[in-house]
Amino acid sequence: MGKILIILTICIACMGSICSANPIHDLQDEIPTDKALHFAAGYIISDQLQRNVGCSTFEAFLITSGIAWAKEKYIDDNVDNNDAYATMTGSLFYQIKF
């Protein structure tokens, strides 16, 4: 029991020192929520197109890109190309096999 407490104490101390000065947290804070949601939408759309519709990788990317550009042009009041790029990046990121 004593060894478990020592290990837990060391782990908590290491996690506290890593989390407080981690440059990844700074990077995450710089990404706007809107871009992260567009990225997630592109990822999910590509996933559903390939799993359920049977689209190829290229077809899923083209459809996702078309949806992103149409949404920016016809639905939003002002066109933000970076939103469409974030959606397309999410679509490409889905192709990475982990």
Side-chain angles (χ1 to χ4, degrees):
M1 183 69 172
K3 290 181 182 180
I4 294 175
L5 290 176
I6 292 172
I7 292 172
L8 285 175
T9 305
I10 292 171
C11 289
I12 291 171
C14 289
M15 286 173 40
S17 65
I18 290 171
C19 293
S20 63
N22 196 343
I24 292 176
H25 290 287
D26 296 335
L27 179 65
Q28 289 173 342
D29 291 339
E30 292 177 12
I31 299 173
T33 303
D34 182 48
K35 302 301 183 264
L37 292 173
H38 277 277
F39 180 88
Y43 187 93
I44 292 168
I45 292 169
S46 286
D47 172 57
Q48 294 303 305
L49 285 171
Q50 289 183 4
R51 285 185 189 209
N52 298 326
V53 180
C55 290
S56 68
T57 301
F58 186 66
E59 291 170 336
F61 177 72
L62 285 179
I63 293 170
T64 304
S65 300
I67 292 170
W69 287 111
K71 185 246 181 214
E72 290 301 317
K73 182 169 175 74
Y74 297 112
I75 296 176
D76 287 350
D77 293 333
N78 57 351
V79 176
D80 186 4
N81 290 337
N82 291 330
D83 286 349
Y85 295 146
T87 306
M88 293 176 357
T89 304
S91 176
L92 290 174
F93 193 77
Y94 178 73
Q95 306 313 320
I96 299 172
K97 304 299 180 211
F98 293 100

